[in-house]
Every structure is written in C-alpha cells, then in structure tokens.
C-alpha cells in the first residue's frame, strides 16, 4: 500500500526555510512517494515516478556558469517521468536559479525548492522516510479499524438500510445509496447534488468499460460515486458528497466494504426474486394454456405468487430477435429485457409478467373492456417498446392478442399474441431493421393463418369468427348473405354473373356485398380480403361436411 505525502508536507518535515520555494508555489499539494538525489547528467534516467529529487546542480554548469537551457531540459524530462518537484543546493555550484527556469517550472506546475547549505541529503531523506512510514502505519491502523467495524456491523445483524448512516459516521460526509429496481433510496443526510447530474440515467444500462475497471470515481469535481454493478449492468450507486479532495485509502476501503455488502444483499434479493419469478412463469404458462382446473385453484396459485387476478386480460409477447442467436443468448437477453420492463410495469401491480416456455417475455395486461384496447396499445407502443429498445440498444419485437372475456379468453389472446409476434419477426426488412416492431392481431390478414401453429385450425377459427356474423344476420333477417358470398366468389367477383346465378338484380348483389363488408370488415372486391373470404368459405364447407 503506497502512502503519499505532499511537497508542502516535505517542506515542513524536511526542515526547509519558509523562503525555500523558488518556483511553483501554487503546486505544493502535488503528491510524492519518496525522496532521492542525483548529481550526474543522466541521473534522471533511473528515477521512479513520484520521487522528489535533491541535487547540487553540478551537472548543469557550463564553464562554471549556470546553464539555464540544461535546467529547462531537465525540468521537461522530470515532468515527463512524473517527478513532483526538485530541490537545488544553492551556493555550492549554482548561486541562483535563472528567471527563465523559474518561469518555465511554474508554467509546467513544477515546484523548485532551495536546499539549505547546512543540511545533508540524509537530513531530509531520513525524516521524510520516517514520516511516510508513520503515515503508512496510521493508514494501516485506520484500515484495520474499518475492517473491524464492518465485521461487527455484519455479525451484528444490522439492517442493510442503515449502511448509509454507517458510511456517514466514517466519512463525515453525506451519503446516498440508490438501487432503483429494488426501490432502495437511503440517505444519511440531505445531499446537495448538481442540478445537471445525469448519472441516474445509467441505472439499468450496460456499464461502460471504464466503470467495470474503475467503479469508484469522482464526477467533474462533484460527488464521489461508487457504481454498483451486476453482470455488467449498472444496478445503482453509492453517492458521497462534500469531500473536495482525493479519498484516503481507509475511506476507499470503507466504501468498498459497503459496496461488497450491498452486492451480497442484491444477490440474495436476486436469488429470492428469481425463485419467485420461476413460480410466476409456471403460473403464467398454466394460465395461457388453460391448465388451471378450477377457480379455487386459480385463487390459491395467485396468492402463492403474490398476484391478484383480474377478470379479463390481453396477452402480449415481447422478445429480441432470435435470428443468429443461441438458445442461451436468447434466454439471457430476454432476462435483461424482463428486468428493463419490470421498472416500467411494476408501477401497475395488476400487470402479470414473466417468461413463457420459449423464454419470451409475456405480459398479461388487465383489460376492463374492449374499448380500452387502443389506449393500452398506445401505452405499450410508446412507453414500453420505444424505451426498452433504446435502453437495450437492440431491436425488440412484440405481438398482441385481442380482448376476449373471462379466464378462457387468456388462452385465445395468448395464441393470437404468438401469431402476431411471429408476424412481427417476419415483417422486418432484412436490410433496414427497426428498433422495435409491434403487431396487433386485429390488424392481421393472411398472416394469422400463415404463422399459426396449426393453419387449418386457425382457418376454421377465422371462418367461424367471420362467417358466424353473416350466419347470425341470415338467421335474424331471413337473409341470404352467406349464399350470396359463396356465389360471388365462385363468379370471381363478377356482379352480373352472380346476379344471373341467383336470379336477382345486380344491385341486390352489391347491396348484400356491402352488408357483408359492414358485418365482417372485409371487402369482397379487394384481392387480399377476397382471399381471406375464400379461405373462410373453404374452411366452412370442409368443417360442415359429414
């Protein structure tokens, strides 16, 4: 452990006169590791950074006169090495330091002292070494006391929330401990922070390389910050204010001990949370697959995972792109995605969230009625996907199912969300990949059949949903919409031919096709919609064959 003293302390310990400072008086707080001497022209080649130099100046004479040029060159070389200063024994070989040398030294923040003629090198080196040793002993004693204090704190069972007060007592400076995702905000006393501070924007982000190597730093002459990292993600920080100097070793030890305790507690909380999340994931999977047999079992399971169940939900699936990634990479990145989402959705305790069996993020968003769907979609689009994709610095894909009432509706909404998600993945232009892509099931056409697990089953479901409205109208109004649609499609959309086959006027066909459009939202004259109606008719005919 290296203990540093300043040039100012060297002047006091070494017994220099008050008038000893010849140059660089404003830089006497420069730190040094030790003191050495040399009187050879190339003696500086064997200096270590941080060594203060004593010299008679003999190598820098030229024809018995002080050579300013040589001294200026020496100063440049010492500054480059990292030498904190120079003391010259004036009167032996050099009577006075030239003004040009003093000006050059001051310009380069390099103190020059006058070494007393009546002193030997050892009169300075020995007391300085003794002073450093004493200071190092004090540092070691203080550091040992810090370790002892934290040992008693740890074994005494003190709550982790009192750690800010402990650090305040040690550092005599206000301390704030912040870990947003665990809702930790512990302040020892009011902390005056710069108005333009922006370090809290790093929370939840991947840590820059500089933070992984130097987690303790000082921000722009402001507070000292010890970043709290886990898996290279910035989880929080210890913020220390009102220390306008470099920290002592024992102070750094106290901060590092605090960071270690906080890291252990975060890991413990993470283990507890991950265990709970696994139970929640299993519960979500049972919900979306309809495996919960009774209402009593449902209530018991929701109590076990700490949730409250709502009457109606819409399902949403979110994931990073699985292309060119292994299963483990997808699992890890979607865990990051879930952690990032948690801070956004945790404010709404009614939202159920976790990972499905394919390790995609699954949200069940409570939906009072279908009218609220657009509001929820806008929130998910603007507040979730945009923010999350920017936070993770990679594209995010999402699919949303429709509103279906009651617990049985969750299964249908999840199936639709899955189809929407697959559509989102496939709809992206490979050359220009957006930062997020959201697809909603109610906007899908052929995709809902193309990307279904079982296209035939989905086609039948679409047929029942689409043609069921037409059949309902026919029953209530004694109409002929379904027959008209079949004939119209068989006639390839030709109104005249359809009218001839049904023995009605062409305008009657047009009126009925318009009614079909109003009831189904599909235009039988449009190529895409006509294809969907043909699939619906085909599935209807196949489904009603004996």
């Amino acid at each position: 452990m290296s203990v540093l003293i300043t040039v100012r302390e060297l002047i006091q310990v070494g017994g220099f006169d008050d008038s000893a400072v010849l140059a660089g008086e404003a830089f006497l707080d420069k730190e040094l590791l030790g003191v050495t001497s040399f009187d050879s022209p190339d003696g500086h080649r064997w200096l270590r950074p941080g060594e203060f130099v004593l010299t008679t100046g003999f190598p820098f004479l030229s024809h018995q006169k002080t050579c300013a040029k040589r001294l200026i060159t020496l100063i440049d070389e010492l500054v480059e090495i990292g030498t904190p200063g120079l003391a010259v024994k004036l009167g032996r070989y050099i009577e006075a330091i030239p003004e040009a040398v003093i000006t050059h030294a001051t310009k380069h923040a390099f103190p020059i002292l006058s070494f007393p003629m009546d002193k030997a090198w050892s009169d300075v080196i020995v007391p300085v070494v003794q002073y450093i040793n004493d200071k190092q002993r004090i540092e070691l004693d203080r550091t040992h006391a810090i370790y002892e204090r934290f040992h008693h704190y740890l074994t005494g069972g003190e709550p982790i929330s009192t750690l800010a007060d402990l650090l305040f007592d040690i550092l005599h400076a206000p301390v704030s401990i912040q870990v947003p995702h665990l809702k930790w905000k512990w302040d020892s006393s009011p902390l005056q922070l710069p108005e333009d501070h922006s370090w809290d924007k790093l929370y939840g982000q991947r840590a820059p390389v500089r933070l992984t190597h130097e987690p303790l730093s000082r921000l722009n002459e402001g507070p000292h910050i010890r970043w709290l990292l886990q898996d290279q993600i910035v989880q929080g920080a210890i913020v220390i204010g009102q220390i306008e100097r470099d920290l002592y070793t024992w102070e750094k030890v106290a901060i590092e001990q605090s960071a270690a305790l906080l890291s252990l507690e975060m890991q413990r909380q993470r283990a507890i949370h991950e265990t709970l999340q696994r139970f929640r994931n299993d519960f979500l999977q049972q919900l979306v697959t309809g495996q919960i047999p009774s209402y009593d079992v449902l209530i018991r399971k929701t109590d076990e995972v700490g949730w409250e169940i709502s009457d109606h939900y819409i399902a949403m699936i979110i994931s990073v792109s699985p292309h060119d990634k292994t299963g483990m990479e997808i699992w890890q990145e979607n865990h990051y995605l879930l952690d990032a989402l948690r801070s956004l959705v945790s404010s709404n305790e009614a939202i159920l969230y976790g990972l499905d069996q394919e390790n995609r993020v699954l949200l069940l968003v409570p939906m009072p009625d279908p009218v609220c769907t657009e509001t929820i979609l806008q929130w998910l689009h603007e507040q979730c996907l945009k923010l999350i994709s920017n936070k993770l610095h990679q594209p995010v894909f999402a699919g949303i199912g429709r509103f279906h009432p009651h617990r049985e509706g969750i299964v249908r909404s999840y199936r639709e969300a899955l189809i929407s998600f697959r559509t989102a993945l496939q709809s992206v232009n490979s050359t220009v990949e957006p930062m997020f892509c959201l697809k909603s099931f109610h906007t899908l056409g052929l995709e809902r059949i193309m990307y279904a697990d079982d296209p035939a089953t989905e086609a039948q479901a679409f047929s029942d949903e689409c043609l069921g409205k037409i059949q309902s109208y026919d029953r209530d109004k004694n109409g002929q919409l379904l027959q008209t649609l079949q004939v119209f499609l068989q006639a390839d959309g030709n109104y005249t031919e359809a009218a001839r086959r049904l023995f009605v006027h062409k305008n009657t066909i047009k009126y009925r096709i318009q009614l079909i459009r109003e009831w189904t939202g599909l235009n039988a004259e449009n190529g895409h919609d006509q294809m969907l109606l043909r699939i619906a008719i085909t599935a209807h005919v196949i489904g009603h064959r004996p």
Side-chain angles (χ1 to χ4, degrees):
M1 177 173 57
S2 298
V3 175
L4 303 177
I5 69 169
T6 64
V7 176
R8 194 183 305 278
E9 289 175 290
L10 170 72
I11 292 172
Q12 182 180 0
V13 174
F16 287 84
D17 296 332
D18 294 338
S19 60
V21 182
L22 303 177
E25 187 173 3
F27 310 105
L28 298 182
D29 289 322
K30 294 183 70 172
E31 295 179 320
L32 56 102
L33 286 169
V35 182
T36 190
S37 65
F38 72 79
D39 267 330
S40 61
D42 60 350
H44 63 276
R45 292 170 55 190
W46 292 276
L47 289 178
R48 294 179 302 163
E51 288 184 314
F52 190 91
V53 172
L54 309 177
T55 182
T56 63
F58 174 74
F60 312 107
L61 293 178
S62 178
H63 304 292
Q64 302 303 314
K65 293 182 179 180
T66 302
C67 182
K69 185 176 180 180
R70 290 187 181 182
L71 279 173
I72 288 174
T73 301
L74 173 66
I75 289 171
D76 290 339
E77 290 170 336
L78 294 180
V79 168
E80 184 176 353
I81 291 170
T83 302
L86 173 71
V88 182
K89 189 180 281 289
L90 297 180
R92 181 70 178 93
Y93 297 107
I94 298 177
E95 292 299 325
I97 303 295
E99 191 63 35
V101 176
I102 292 175
T103 301
H104 189 76
T106 301
K107 179 180 178 181
H108 288 79
F110 188 80
I112 297 180
L113 310 180
S114 172
F115 194 92
M117 277 293 295
D118 59 341
K119 282 185 177 292
W121 299 142
S122 60
D123 290 337
V124 173
I125 294 176
V126 171
V128 168
V129 170
Q130 183 63 46
Y131 181 81
I132 290 175
N133 288 338
D134 290 344
K135 195 172 181 180
Q136 187 173 36
R137 178 180 54 78
I138 293 171
E139 286 280 303
L140 288 171
D141 289 343
R142 285 185 170 179
T143 300
H144 178 72
I146 293 297
Y147 283 119
E148 284 292 316
R149 188 158 184 182
F150 273 88
H151 173 73
H152 289 306
Y153 177 84
L154 185 60
T155 57
E158 293 288 335
I160 196 73
S161 58
T162 63
L163 197 54
D165 295 326
L166 174 62
L167 265 183
F168 172 77
D169 193 43
I170 294 171
L171 303 176
H172 302 293
V175 175
S176 177
I177 296 175
Q178 306 169 7
V179 182
H181 80 278
L182 292 176
K183 299 181 181 179
W184 291 354
K185 181 68 168 67
W186 306 319
D187 299 329
S188 64
S189 57
L191 182 62
Q192 297 295 327
L193 300 176
E195 292 183 1
D196 60 345
H197 81 276
S198 58
W199 65 77
D200 52 356
K201 294 179 181 178
L202 284 174
Y203 296 156
Q205 304 278 354
R206 289 186 183 274
V209 175
R210 59 181 174 82
L211 292 190
T212 59
H213 294 303
E214 296 182 12
L216 176 61
S217 59
R218 189 179 181 191
L219 296 182
N220 301 323
E221 302 302 319
H224 290 81
I225 293 187
R226 173 50 164 93
W227 301 100
L228 303 173
L229 312 178
Q230 276 191 342
D231 297 331
Q232 297 184 330
I233 301 296
V234 180
Q235 305 290 351
I238 304 173
V239 184
I240 303 105
Q242 298 179 9
I243 300 182
E244 298 177 358
R245 55 170 171 78
D246 290 338
L247 296 170
Y248 298 126
T249 301
W250 56 271
E251 291 174 322
K252 293 179 181 178
V253 168
I255 294 170
E256 290 305 312
Q257 287 290 295
S258 300
L261 291 180
L262 290 168
S263 179
L264 286 173
E265 181 61 22
M266 284 193 294
Q267 290 178 11
R268 190 180 76 86
Q269 293 291 338
R270 180 176 177 176
I272 293 171
H273 170 76
E274 287 183 350
T275 301
L276 175 61
Q277 191 62 58
R278 282 196 292 271
F279 282 115
R280 287 180 167 180
N281 293 346
D282 291 342
F283 173 65
L284 284 175
Q285 192 60 36
Q286 291 175 324
L287 273 180
V288 299
T289 54
Q291 296 178 13
I292 298 181
S294 67
Y295 181 78
D296 291 338
V297 174
L298 174 67
I299 296 302
R300 177 172 59 80
K301 285 184 174 291
T302 53
D303 288 341
E304 289 173 354
V305 298
W307 276 338
E308 291 184 5
I309 201 74
S310 296
D311 293 330
H312 319 289
Y313 290 94
I314 60 170
M316 180 177 187
I317 295 175
I318 314 172
S319 176
V320 298
S321 173
H323 303 307
D324 302 323
K325 290 186 176 72
T326 65
M328 180 56 69
E329 288 173 333
I330 287 292
W331 176 83
Q332 188 175 42
E333 292 187 9
N334 279 342
H335 261 280
Y336 290 147
L337 176 58
L338 182 62
D339 287 339
L341 270 170
R342 185 177 290 111
S343 62
L344 294 174
V345 302
S346 59
S347 58
N348 188 340
E349 297 181 355
I351 296 178
L352 313 185
Y353 54 88
L355 298 177
D356 67 6
Q357 62 183 359
E358 298 297 329
N359 291 316
R360 297 168 295 229
V361 175
L362 169 61
L363 298 183
L364 293 183
V365 183
M367 186 66 58
D369 55 68
V371 178
C372 300
T373 303
E374 288 303 319
T375 303
I376 295 295
L377 288 177
Q378 184 178 2
W379 174 79
L380 292 169
H381 189 274
E382 297 294 331
Q383 299 299 319
C384 278
L385 292 186
K386 275 189 177 180
L387 293 176
I388 294 304
S389 60
N390 291 334
K391 210 170 189 180
L392 297 181
H393 304 295
Q394 65 171 315
V396 174
F397 301 86
I400 302 180
R402 293 177 298 181
F403 172 91
H404 298 288
H406 311 307
R407 181 159 48 104
E408 297 77 11
I410 298 175
V411 180
R412 293 184 62 186
S413 188
Y414 174 73
R415 175 181 58 80
E416 294 173 352
L418 184 57
I419 295 172
S420 303
F421 171 72
R422 292 170 181 160
T423 304
L425 287 178
Q426 298 300 324
S427 64
V428 175
N429 187 327
S430 59
T431 58
V432 182
E433 195 170 61
M435 284 307 291
F436 61 91
C437 183
L438 171 67
K439 291 293 182 179
S440 181
F441 190 82
H442 80 273
T443 65
L444 301 186
L446 288 172
E447 299 93 344
R448 63 179 288 181
I449 298 170
M450 292 169 57
Y451 298 120
D453 285 326
D454 184 353
T457 301
E458 185 61 38
Q460 187 62 59
F462 172 70
S463 176
D464 295 342
E465 177 185 316
C466 176
L467 301 186
K469 298 174 182 178
I470 297 175
Q471 290 177 302
S472 177
Y473 176 88
D474 285 347
R475 284 194 302 270
D476 294 342
K477 305 293 185 180
N478 194 26
Q480 295 178 308
L481 295 187
L482 183 58
Q483 182 189 20
T484 300
L485 177 61
Q486 288 176 301
V487 173
F488 183 75
L489 295 176
Q490 290 169 0
D492 294 327
N494 188 306
Y495 284 100
T496 302
E497 178 59 22
R500 186 189 67 79
R501 294 183 185 185
L502 290 174
F503 305 103
V504 296
H505 193 274
K506 183 172 69 172
N507 288 342
T508 302
I509 301 297
K510 289 184 176 182
Y511 172 72
R512 292 175 180 175
I513 294 300
Q514 179 60 32
L515 283 178
I516 291 171
R517 182 176 183 177
E518 292 174 2
W519 278 91
T520 65
L522 298 173
N523 183 1
E525 295 177 301
N526 176 278
H528 176 271
D529 289 0
Q530 191 177 106
M531 177 64 71
L532 282 174
L533 290 169
R534 287 182 184 276
I535 291 173
I537 289 291
T538 302
H540 173 75
V541 171
I542 293 174
H544 286 78
R545 283 177 180 169

